[in-house]
Amino acid sequence: MNTRHLHFWPKALPRDIAIPDTNLFYNAEVSATRYPDKPYLIFYDKALSFGEFKRQTEAIAGFLQKDCGVEQGDRVLLDMQNSPQFILAYYGILRAGAVVVPINPMNLTQELAHYVEDSGATVAFVGQELFAQMRPLLGKGLRQIIVAAYSDYISSAPGITVPAFASAPREALTEPGVTLWIDMLDSRRTPGPLTAGPDDLCVMPYTSGTTGKPKGCMHTHRSVMSTAVGGVEWMRTPKDTVALAVLPFFHVTGMQGGMNGSLYNGNALVVLPRWDREAAAEYVQRYKVGTWQAIAAMVVDFLMNPRITEYDLSSVWNMSGGGAPMPEAVAQKMQDLCGITYIEGYGMTETMAPTHVNPLHRPKKQCLGIPIFDVDARIIDPQTLHELPQGEVGEIIVHGPQVMQAYWKQPQATEQAFLIRDGKRFLRTGDLGRVDDEGYFFMVDRLKRMINASGYKVWPAEVETLMYQHPDITEACVVAAKDAHRGETVKAYVVLKPAARGRVNAQDIIDWAHAHMAAYKSPRVVEFVDSLPKSGTGKVQWRALQERETTVDG
């Protein structure tokens, strides 16, 4: 076990923390009791108090139970942009004893169908602007869809420009199986007793992989609570600081660092539905924001704003994130502008956000950090599974309270993802890293196929599976290509059917892909080839094409 990092452990912080032995919804009850009138959510200048938040989540839970037939352990889809309704639906689902299945709002109907079928969900919450993508699944797995208009929670005179999808007035939808958010609340249903315990399922975010199909990560109330509490403790977040939420709530980093941590700690949370550098700067100044999480691409864009020096950013005392290393020049500019050091961390969907974070008092640049509370992290040889000495590159494995229970209905994938070492169950991350002489972890490469496009994880096998549905494609292989803005972008090598050659061009394929899959995973570059390189057994040798990209870019 790596212990060198303990020499640099933050003073006054215990090495182990006691995780509350409750369900996650109890945090809403505690904060509502402590701070009934204190603002919890601020959305385009309209505030929702902790007390009102709890009242609305209970009405949602009552509707789910009594009007939708949701029972304990049922999965419920949540497909929205960052908004008060996302958080209210999340906790309403938990109050009903059910399991949240958060969905990336960029997913289209064909992708959504997999989540409905795989999770077994019969009820879904969806943003009004996303309803058209969810609507075809009504009667095809889904029995009930609850549609939310974000404008219901926006001030009548917001002091900043609101994007059109958020300001759009509520539409009148009256078809069977569809309920408007406002009508759900007006039903004023009272939920039954909350019986879910800390070891029951809480949330099931999906992650993809080499199989091409997204897999549900089974997280209990305890594993979700561990990083919600751990994040607050590690960052030493004061209860009266204001947080800014710009990372998407469907992703575990935004879910924990923005949404769940703030509710647990009693912090006011300023919510942005999408990244907007002008709005972020304005709200930091207006609400004296103290802490926020952002990926490197957001920080770069934030600091490139030509008006950035016009804003008062002096209230910011902490900015943190992960997903990709922060460029040193950008980190220095932030230091010069705000007087703070960007704190990098590392985690996965399978670990409900961080397993590693840099200590605030002694961070290192472009570093994953050190293992946080109760985490045992090691480096092994991915072939022999033997533990490697300090300095050598190998696969990162982690053991801790935040690690998922299993992949939903995927026993073989679950078995392959874990190994037992010294009586502990370790998750194989698929990431290659090394540990320096002070016990800090650094990322070196990825063992699994994965493209990191502006912080979004794109799994080539999933994109290939969707591309094979194009009527003119015989074969496709997806790799990462360098991109000045996104870091990496998605490139597809495509073999067309003979009849399509000369008739179909690269832009045709790009446009089709954009219409059939989420924009972040849709190939932005297409190159036609006569054939794909294959092994003697006929398996596509994607590494050869990836190495070709690396050589060309280099």
Side-chain angles (χ1 to χ4, degrees):
M1 178 178 176
N2 168 44
T3 59
R4 287 181 293 276
H5 66 286
L6 297 180
H7 294 291
F8 309 101
W9 192 265
K11 290 184 178 179
L13 276 188
R15 295 176 184 175
D16 309 299
I17 58 171
I19 302 170
D21 201 25
T22 62
N23 60 67
L24 200 67
F25 184 82
Y26 187 68
N27 294 340
E29 295 184 344
V30 171
S31 288
T33 302
R34 286 175 170 172
Y35 318 111
D37 300 319
K38 179 180 177 180
Y40 168 37
L41 303 175
I42 301 170
F43 191 59
Y44 291 109
D45 297 324
K46 186 172 183 177
L48 185 73
S49 70
F50 283 101
E52 183 59 25
F53 175 83
K54 177 176 176 287
R55 284 189 286 273
Q56 291 191 24
T57 56
E58 289 178 330
I60 294 167
F63 182 84
L64 289 174
Q65 290 176 339
K66 297 179 179 179
D67 292 70
C68 302
V70 170
E71 299 179 350
Q72 182 167 325
D74 286 352
R75 281 73 57 206
V76 178
L77 262 58
L78 177 49
D79 184 20
M80 294 186 193
Q81 312 282 353
N82 282 13
S83 58
Q85 289 105 313
F86 185 106
I87 308 177
L88 285 161
Y90 186 105
Y91 277 85
I93 294 167
L94 298 184
R95 177 61 182 84
V99 181
V100 181
V101 180
I103 303 296
N104 185 333
M106 298 174 76
N107 280 311
L108 305 184
T109 301
Q110 192 169 353
E111 297 159 311
L112 294 171
H114 169 71
Y115 298 111
V116 172
E117 180 182 359
D118 189 71
S119 70
T122 60
V123 178
F125 287 88
V126 65
Q128 180 175 267
E129 84 289 9
L130 305 171
F131 176 58
Q133 297 296 337
M134 189 74 74
R135 187 178 189 175
L137 304 179
L138 194 60
K140 297 181 180 178
L142 291 180
R143 295 196 312 259
Q144 187 79 29
I145 299 177
I146 299 136
V147 183
Y150 308 124
S151 56
D152 287 344
Y153 286 74
I154 290 175
S155 167
S156 58
I160 196 168
T161 302
V162 181
F165 75 87
S167 63
R170 187 190 324 132
E171 297 177 8
L173 302 172
T174 57
E175 63 188 280
V178 177
T179 302
L180 294 181
W181 178 277
I182 197 73
D183 293 336
M184 171 187 65
L185 293 184
D186 286 347
S187 68
R188 301 182 184 276
R189 300 287 192 247
T190 300
L194 177 58
T195 56
D199 295 314
D200 288 320
L201 279 188
C202 173
V203 61
M204 199 164 74
Y206 272 71
T207 186
S208 297
T210 56
T211 63
K213 290 277 191 177
K215 303 186 294 292
C217 298
M218 300 169 64
H219 281 286
T220 63
H221 289 266
R222 191 184 304 278
S223 63
V224 179
M225 190 81 80
S226 70
T227 50
V229 175
V232 168
E233 295 295 330
W234 190 268
M235 295 299 178
R236 304 183 185 184
T237 307
K239 293 188 181 300
D240 288 318
T241 200
V242 177
L244 174 65
V246 296
L247 292 179
F249 292 148
F250 74 83
H251 189 274
V252 293
T253 305
M255 185 186 301
Q256 295 299 88
M259 183 178 77
N260 289 334
S262 295
L263 182 59
Y264 165 78
N265 203 42
N267 297 118
L269 186 67
V270 179
V271 177
L272 282 178
R274 288 181 184 171
W275 170 246
D276 179 335
R277 69 184 186 184
E278 295 285 351
E282 173 62 32
Y283 281 140
V284 167
Q285 176 175 268
R286 185 177 305 184
Y287 293 104
K288 305 301 179 187
V289 168
T291 180
W292 55 299
Q293 290 182 308
I295 61 173
M298 289 178 176
V299 179
V300 170
D301 187 53
F302 183 74
L303 296 177
M304 285 179 64
N305 185 349
R307 298 182 55 236
I308 191 64
T309 57
E310 299 175 18
Y311 295 97
D312 179 5
L313 308 177
S314 60
S315 61
V316 179
W317 59 268
N318 176 63
M319 188 182 292
S320 60
M326 173 64 70
E328 189 167 350
V330 177
Q332 186 59 52
K333 186 174 181 180
M334 192 176 68
Q335 175 72 42
D336 296 339
L337 185 67
C338 302
I340 59 173
T341 301
Y342 182 79
I343 302 298
E344 298 183 56
Y346 168 77
M348 306 170 66
T349 306
E350 288 89 340
T351 64
M352 191 44 65
T355 56
H356 296 65
V357 185
N358 273 274
L360 271 64
H361 72 288
R362 198 174 182 273
K364 293 190 179 185
K365 296 177 181 178
Q366 299 180 334
C367 173
L368 304 181
I370 63 176
I372 60 173
F373 309 105
D374 304 294
V375 172
D376 183 354
R378 308 183 188 186
I379 303 291
I380 64 167
D381 183 308
Q383 303 300 323
T384 66
L385 305 184
H386 293 154
E387 193 166 343
L388 296 174
Q390 177 262 316
E392 290 196 22
V393 174
E395 184 179 2
I396 302 170
I397 60 172
V398 293
H399 166 85
Q402 64 270 70
V403 175
M404 68 173 185
Q405 299 301 301
Y407 289 118
W408 176 255
K409 298 194 300 185
Q410 296 274 354
Q412 185 175 0
T414 300
E415 183 178 359
Q416 293 172 350
F418 288 95
L419 57 84
I420 303 298
R421 184 63 48 87
D422 298 333
K424 299 178 181 179
R425 186 173 181 250
F426 282 83
L427 174 72
R428 299 187 63 176
T429 67
D431 289 322
L432 297 177
R434 63 177 178 85
V435 182
D436 71 6
D437 58 357
E438 294 182 331
Y440 285 68
F441 281 68
F442 290 81
M443 179 77 80
V444 175
D445 202 349
R446 291 187 291 268
L447 185 63
K448 296 184 289 188
R449 290 181 74 187
M450 191 267 283
I451 301 168
N452 189 344
S454 296
Y456 287 107
K457 288 184 176 181
V458 179
W459 297 95
E462 181 187 0
V463 178
E464 290 164 1
T465 298
L466 292 168
M467 292 190 73
Y468 274 110
Q469 297 176 25
H470 189 291
D472 295 318
I473 291 178
T474 297
E475 291 183 299
C477 183
V478 171
V479 298
K482 294 295 182 183
D483 183 277
H485 179 67
R486 303 176 85 203
E488 291 181 339
T489 196
V490 183
K491 177 175 180 177
Y493 285 92
V494 171
V495 179
L496 290 174
K497 292 179 179 177
R501 296 176 187 180
R503 174 173 59 82
V504 176
N505 61 40
Q507 191 60 47
D508 292 334
I509 301 297
I510 292 170
D511 292 343
W512 180 91
H514 190 75
H516 287 79
M517 63 186 83
Y520 72 91
K521 69 177 76 161
S522 176
R524 299 198 177 189
V525 182
V526 168
E527 181 176 333
F528 293 129
V529 291
D530 292 331
S531 63
L532 298 177
K534 295 176 182 172
S535 67
T537 60
K539 187 175 182 179
V540 175
Q541 295 180 310
W542 64 268
R543 290 186 186 277
L545 293 175
Q546 184 62 72
E547 289 169 4
R548 173 177 164 182
E549 285 300 313
T550 305
T551 301
V552 170
D553 291 329

